[in-house]
């Protein structure tokens, strides 16, 4: 769903996922709202203007008469388009297409903050918008039977828009059909028809464990999955003579992790032989392993897979980005419903295993308890018994099983379904409510309010500020349609503390606050119940926390959240600012984002001081929602793009570093501290 409005010379465009786009024009006039741009879009308008200005991004142009493809130089060289009929692909947070006839110039502004499309005269131009939010393509009824689950996984790739290497672009991978529990298997005819025949098969024993583990690879490859009692897991493609024996559980997890990373990673490189290629820093990996991108781009899925498996997988994997997301799922009928949501994020799936916290962790927690015991004003804090999860590869980790693990977000089937419920909301702005229920915590509250008000100057945010709410009023906050509730106060065994008693979130009829932060001691179970009642995700604590720690984490979290970072990544960055960061965690779908950032893909930096007043700048850009994208660091003399997840490193003198920090808005780690780039710029 797309909504737009004209404000002066600016089109403001929003989608159901709170992504927001501003398109500025020179004396912009909307002529028509029933327009065709020739590409799949959710809405389109025809405007008249001599110039259109977009946020900085990648731009491609397709010529109809010349059948040519053009790309705007990432380094800043303007693109001159001779007179012709064009469709221009502007890769902003909301996918945008321009269709016009005539000559045009596409350029980047000096500070690389905008892309400008200009015409020699005022020109009628059709602009089409498509939301990047992917919705499920129907539903498959899955009874509690491994063979039925195998069939459902087979059809999970029905939403793919191509079986070529371009499917590594997130825009060409659709959301799998939902898996709904039932008594008998039911795959709708439309889903069967849309399931491509790739000639690739995965055969596993009839058990939930191996089926859950192979699901991400099967989804991406479009493989046909079947079960066979007593068989060894096997990946095969009969038409090309491929038969790859895999390990049994639990070693199967490692095999699938390597296969998916290599197949997906090589697709990201091979696709550069197609019409949407760019100069990637990692592309030399193909040449070093004698892989012909042109031949592989046009090969069948089975032929391409066979060629990939001829390479040394370990060597290839070591040069590819670290995988973005791993989820640890109890392999049982009750969690089958979660699989399509995990596949949409292209998460690896592992069987959950835990151990008791080691002695050092226990000592650390004892020391923390000693200092917290000096706090006053808190009653009996809820007890949360945490466990140490056995984590595999991955930047972000989710947990869909029993127990409260450290360093991962605690997901639930309900949280994934809740995310889609909020897409049906129609709002003009992101609504935030900041609640202060303990006067001594006012500094955090002031910081959060200040951050949101500053951000409201750049994004459509409506802020409500509340203090000293009683139980009924606080309940109304959670039952109101806020996008984010930031609660600062105390939590005790009976609930969130209010002037007239305690609010237990279990007493709520429902929770319609999309996301939240309960920055209060031991708020884990209160937050978990908010997700059960309707929220998507939120930040909580698993133990008492010091007030100054709460201030640091709460303020930083709010700033990162309103700048486009996901719940899990925002909390991960915020909690690294304190020694006792493991006392904070996320409940619900930690991959969920509240708002679109200034750049479509959240980026972080790390600055390390070298000798002779020089510095190493490391940039990391990735998102658990858009795996397969790439980014281009605008730092002279760089001319390469990098796959998201691959760090890019540059050695700069002080003046170069200061100039870069001054032009960007991103969190940067320097000397072990987290700074906003503009703040670090002034310090340096």
């Amino acid at each position: 769903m797309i909504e737009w409005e004209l404000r002066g010379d600016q089109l403001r465009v929003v989608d159901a996922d709170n992504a927001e786009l501003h398109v500025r024009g020179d004396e912009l006039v909307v002529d028509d709202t029933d327009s065709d741009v020739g590409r799949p879009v959710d809405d389109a308008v025809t405007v008249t203007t001599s110039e259109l200005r977009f946020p900085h991004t990648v731009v491609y142009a397709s010529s109809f008469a010349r059948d040519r493809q053009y790309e705007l130089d990432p380094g800043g060289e303007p693109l001159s388009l001779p007179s012709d009929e064009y469709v221009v692909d502007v890769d902003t947070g909301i996918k945008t297409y321009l269709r016009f006839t005539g000559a045009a110039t596409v350029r980047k502004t000096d500070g690389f903050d905008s892309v400008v499309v200009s015409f020699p005269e005022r020109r009628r131009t059709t602009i089409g918008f498509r939301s990047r939010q992917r919705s499920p393509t129907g539903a498959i009824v899955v009874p509690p039977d491994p063979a039925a689950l195998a069939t459902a996984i087979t059809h999970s790739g029905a939403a793919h828009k191509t079986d070529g290497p371009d499917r590594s672009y997130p825009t060409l991978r659709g959301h799998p059909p939902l898996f709904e529990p039932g008594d008998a298997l039911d795959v709708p005819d439309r889903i069967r028809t849309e399931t491509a025949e790739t000639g690739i098969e995965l055969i596993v024993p009839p058990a939930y464990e191996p089926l859950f583990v192979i699901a991400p690879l099967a989804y991406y490859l479009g493989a046909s999955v079947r079960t066979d009692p007593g068989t060894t897991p096997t990946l095969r493609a009969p038409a090309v003579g491929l038969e790859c024996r895999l390990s049994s559980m639990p070693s199967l997890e490692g095999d699938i992790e390597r296969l998916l990373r290599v197949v997906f990673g090589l697709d990201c490189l091979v696709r550069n032989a197609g019409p949407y290629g760019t100069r990637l820093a990692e592309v030399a990996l193909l040449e070093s392993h004698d892989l012909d991108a042109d031949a592989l781009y046009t090969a069948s899925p089975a032929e391409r897979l066979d060629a990939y498996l001829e390479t040394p997988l370990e060597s290839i994997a070591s040069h590819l980005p670290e995988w973005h997301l791993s989820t640890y799922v109890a392999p049982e009928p009750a969690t089958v419903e979660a699989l399509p949501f995990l596949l949409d994020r292209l998460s690896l799936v592992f069987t959950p295993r835990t151990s008791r916290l080691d002695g050092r962790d226990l000592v650390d927690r004892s020391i923390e308890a000693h200092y917290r015991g000096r706090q006053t004003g808190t009653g009996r804090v809820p007890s949360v018994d945490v466990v140490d999860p056995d984590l595999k590869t991955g930047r972000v980790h989710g947990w869909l099983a029993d127990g409260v693990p450290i360093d991962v977000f605690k997901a639930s089937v309900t949280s994934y379904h809740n995310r889609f419920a909020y897409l049906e909301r129609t709002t003009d702005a992101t609504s935030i409510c900041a609640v202060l229920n303990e006067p001594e915590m006012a500094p955090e509250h002031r910081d959060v309010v200040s951050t949101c008000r500053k951000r409201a100057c750049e994004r459509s945010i409506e802020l409500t500020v509340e203090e000293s709410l009683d139980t009924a009023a606080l309940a109304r906050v959670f039952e109101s349609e806020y996008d984010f509730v930031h609660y600062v106060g105390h939590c005790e065994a009976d609930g969130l503390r209010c002037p007239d008693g305690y609010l237990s979130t279990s007493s709520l009829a429902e929770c319609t606050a999309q996301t939240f932060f309960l920055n209060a001691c031991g708020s884990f179970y209160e937050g978990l119940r908010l997700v059960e009642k309707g929220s998507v995700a939120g930040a909580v604590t698993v133990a008492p926390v010091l007030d100054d720690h709460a201030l640091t984490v709460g303020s930083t979290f709010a700033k990162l959240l309103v700048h486009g970072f996901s719940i899990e990544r925002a909390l991960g960055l915020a909690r690294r600012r304190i020694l006792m960061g493991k006392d904070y965690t996320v409940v619900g779908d930690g991959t969920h984002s509240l708002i679109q950032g200034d750049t479509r893909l959240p980026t972080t930096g790390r600055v390390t001081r070298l000798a002779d007043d020089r510095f190493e700048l490391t940039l990391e850009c990735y998102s658990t929602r858009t795996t397969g994208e790439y980014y281009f660091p605008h730092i002279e003399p760089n001319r390469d793009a990098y796959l998201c997840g691959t760090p890019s490193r540059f050695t700069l003198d002080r003046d170069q570093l200061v100039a870069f920090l001054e032009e960007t808005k991103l969190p940067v780690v320097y000397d072990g501290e987290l700074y906003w780039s503009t703040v670090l710029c002034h310090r340096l």
Side-chain angles (χ1 to χ4, degrees):
M1 182 189 69
I2 291 288
E3 294 183 349
W4 62 268
E5 62 176 335
L6 181 63
R7 294 179 174 178
D9 288 340
Q10 175 176 279
L11 273 176
R12 174 179 173 267
V13 187
V14 295
D15 71 1
D17 205 26
N18 279 333
E20 187 170 336
L21 171 67
H22 296 263
V23 182
R24 294 172 174 83
D26 182 16
E27 298 182 9
L28 186 69
V29 176
V30 174
D31 299 321
D32 190 4
T33 58
D34 185 17
S35 310
D36 179 20
V37 76
R39 292 290 189 272
V41 296
D42 297 315
D43 204 350
V45 298
T46 297
V47 303
T48 297
T49 185
S50 60
E51 178 181 283
L52 291 168
R53 189 174 290 250
F54 300 87
H56 176 260
T57 189
V58 176
V59 178
Y60 299 99
S62 298
S63 160
F64 284 88
R66 294 177 176 83
D67 192 25
R68 285 192 58 186
Q69 182 86 20
Y70 304 86
E71 180 185 4
L72 178 61
D73 176 27
E77 188 70 24
L79 172 62
S80 295
L81 299 174
S83 184
D84 196 353
E85 185 178 5
Y86 293 96
V87 170
V88 176
D89 180 338
V90 186
D91 200 30
T92 44
I94 294 175
K95 190 74 170 178
T96 304
Y97 298 96
L98 309 181
R99 184 166 185 167
F100 59 85
T101 300
T105 300
V106 187
R107 63 179 176 85
K108 300 188 176 188
T109 54
D110 291 341
F112 292 101
D113 57 347
S114 299
V115 168
V116 181
V117 180
S118 56
F119 309 107
E121 69 290 315
R122 289 180 63 78
R123 177 85 50 81
R124 276 175 62 89
T125 302
T126 299
I127 312 177
F129 305 105
R130 187 177 78 233
S131 173
R132 293 179 183 273
Q133 172 58 46
R134 303 192 292 264
S135 299
T137 55
I140 299 173
V141 177
V142 187
D145 171 56
L149 177 57
T151 301
I153 294 171
T154 295
H155 293 287
S156 64
H160 288 333
K161 298 173 177 65
T162 177
D163 60 8
D166 286 333
R167 70 184 158 189
S168 56
Y169 286 114
T171 52
L172 295 179
R173 296 192 305 273
H175 194 296
L178 297 178
F179 292 174
E180 297 180 348
D183 297 328
L185 178 67
D186 182 12
V187 183
D189 290 341
R190 183 172 64 86
I191 292 176
R192 289 186 183 275
T193 300
E194 292 175 351
T195 302
E197 176 54 59
T198 62
I200 301 172
E201 302 174 6
L202 268 164
I203 307 162
V204 296
Y208 281 102
E209 274 194 339
L211 283 167
F212 273 63
V213 169
I214 60 95
L217 180 64
Y219 161 70
Y220 182 72
L221 289 177
S224 174
V225 181
R226 61 183 175 88
T227 60
D228 185 0
T231 189
T232 299
T234 304
L235 174 63
R236 59 195 302 263
V240 296
L242 171 64
E243 180 128 350
C244 178
R245 297 282 180 176
L246 305 175
S247 304
S248 299
M249 288 292 295
S251 299
L252 177 64
E253 295 177 341
D255 290 352
I256 297 299
E257 180 259 324
R258 280 187 297 275
L259 283 167
L260 183 55
R261 284 186 66 199
V262 168
V263 170
F264 180 83
L266 290 179
D267 270 357
C268 288
L269 305 183
V270 168
R271 73 190 185 196
N272 284 283
Y276 298 105
T278 194
R279 178 172 168 171
L280 280 176
E282 300 91 342
V283 79
L285 193 60
L286 296 178
E287 185 177 344
S288 65
H289 288 82
D290 296 322
L291 292 169
D292 184 339
D294 292 320
L296 289 169
Y297 186 80
T298 57
S300 71
E303 291 168 338
R304 200 166 56 253
L305 175 64
D306 187 42
Y308 290 170
L309 294 187
E310 290 295 321
T311 64
L313 299 187
E314 291 285 358
S315 174
I316 293 281
S318 67
H319 291 87
L320 293 171
E322 183 180 3
W323 203 250
H324 59 288
L325 176 64
S326 294
T327 310
Y328 305 80
V329 186
E332 58 193 21
T335 56
V336 165
E337 283 185 77
L339 276 178
F341 302 101
L342 304 182
L343 301 184
D344 178 56
R345 295 289 198 247
L346 212 56
S347 173
L348 287 166
V349 177
F350 295 100
T351 301
R353 303 175 184 90
T354 63
S355 60
R356 297 183 63 182
L357 290 172
D358 63 29
R360 180 175 178 178
D361 279 327
L362 290 172
V363 169
D364 288 345
R365 289 180 179 275
S366 296
I367 293 173
E368 294 173 46
H370 168 75
Y371 284 105
R372 291 188 192 113
R374 297 170 62 183
Q375 290 181 275
T376 60
T378 59
R380 188 164 54 92
V381 174
S383 175
V384 181
D385 295 323
V386 296
V387 295
D388 192 9
D390 178 15
L391 299 182
K392 307 298 183 182
T393 187
R395 289 178 175 272
V396 176
H397 302 271
W399 192 264
L400 191 56
D402 292 338
V404 182
I406 58 174
D407 296 327
V408 304
F409 65 86
K410 173 78 171 178
S412 68
V413 173
T414 301
S415 66
Y416 294 118
H417 283 292
N418 291 348
R419 174 156 50 89
F420 281 98
Y422 286 96
L423 296 179
E424 299 175 3
R425 280 188 183 176
T426 302
T427 59
D428 294 328
T430 300
S431 55
I432 296 176
C433 183
V435 179
L436 174 64
N437 256 24
E438 292 297 336
E440 69 268 22
M441 299 177 181
E444 177 189 347
H445 188 253
R446 285 195 298 270
D447 278 4
V448 171
V449 169
S450 175
T451 293
C452 293
R453 283 179 174 156
K454 288 178 182 176
R455 189 61 172 154
C457 298
E458 303 164 330
R459 286 290 185 271
S460 299
I461 291 176
E462 292 179 354
L463 176 64
T464 301
V465 180
E466 302 282 7
E467 296 185 18
S468 301
L469 296 182
D470 61 23
T471 53
L474 183 57
R476 284 194 295 272
V477 166
F478 290 116
E479 292 174 342
S480 300
E481 293 190 349
Y482 286 111
D483 292 306
F484 176 53
V485 174
H486 191 112
Y487 169 87
V488 180
H490 287 305
C491 178
E492 299 178 15
D494 293 329
L496 303 175
R497 195 162 80 184
C498 300
D500 63 337
Y502 298 90
L503 173 67
S504 171
T505 54
S506 62
S507 67
L508 299 175
E510 63 176 343
C511 179
T512 50
Q514 182 180 168
T515 61
F516 57 86
F517 190 1
L518 301 183
N519 204 0
C521 298
S523 60
F524 177 85
Y525 290 113
E526 297 299 332
L528 203 60
R529 284 190 283 267
L530 289 179
V531 172
E532 293 168 356
K533 297 283 186 176
S535 289
V536 180
V540 294
T541 68
V542 296
V545 290
L546 294 168
D547 287 353
D548 58 341
H549 287 184
L551 167 62
T552 300
V553 174
S555 302
T556 306
F557 175 84
K559 186 165 189 175
L560 292 165
L561 193 66
V562 297
H563 278 84
F565 285 79
S566 69
I567 301 281
E568 171 65 24
R569 197 169 173 202
L571 187 66
L573 287 165
R575 71 180 193 167
R576 71 184 301 160
R577 297 193 64 195
I578 63 170
L579 181 62
M580 313 307 185
K582 291 187 178 183
D583 287 341
Y584 283 89
T585 192
V586 169
V587 290
D589 179 7
T591 68
H592 186 63
S593 299
L594 176 68
I595 197 171
Q596 174 70 43
D598 296 312
T599 57
R600 188 160 53 81
L601 300 171
T603 304
T604 58
R606 177 181 294 274
V607 172
T608 304
R609 184 186 292 272
L610 306 176
D612 301 324
D613 207 31
R614 298 177 68 79
F615 301 83
E616 181 182 73
L617 171 66
T618 302
L619 298 176
E620 291 197 83
C621 177
Y622 73 94
S623 168
T624 53
R625 307 174 64 188
T626 55
T627 305
E629 295 275 13
Y630 61 86
Y631 69 105
F632 185 91
H634 291 285
I635 300 174
E636 289 295 335
N638 178 57
R639 289 294 180 268
D640 289 333
Y642 295 79
L643 288 175
C644 287
T646 298
S648 55
R649 295 180 174 85
F650 307 93
T651 299
L652 308 173
D653 61 31
R654 183 181 294 270
D655 290 342
Q656 289 174 311
L657 177 60
V658 167
F660 173 81
L661 296 174
E662 193 173 27
E663 294 172 355
T664 58
K665 290 182 180 179
L666 74 160
V668 182
V669 176
Y670 176 66
D671 277 352
E673 286 290 326
L674 186 69
Y675 296 87
W676 207 250
S677 53
T678 49
V679 174
L680 181 58
C681 167
H682 291 298
R683 171 174 172 176
L684 293 175

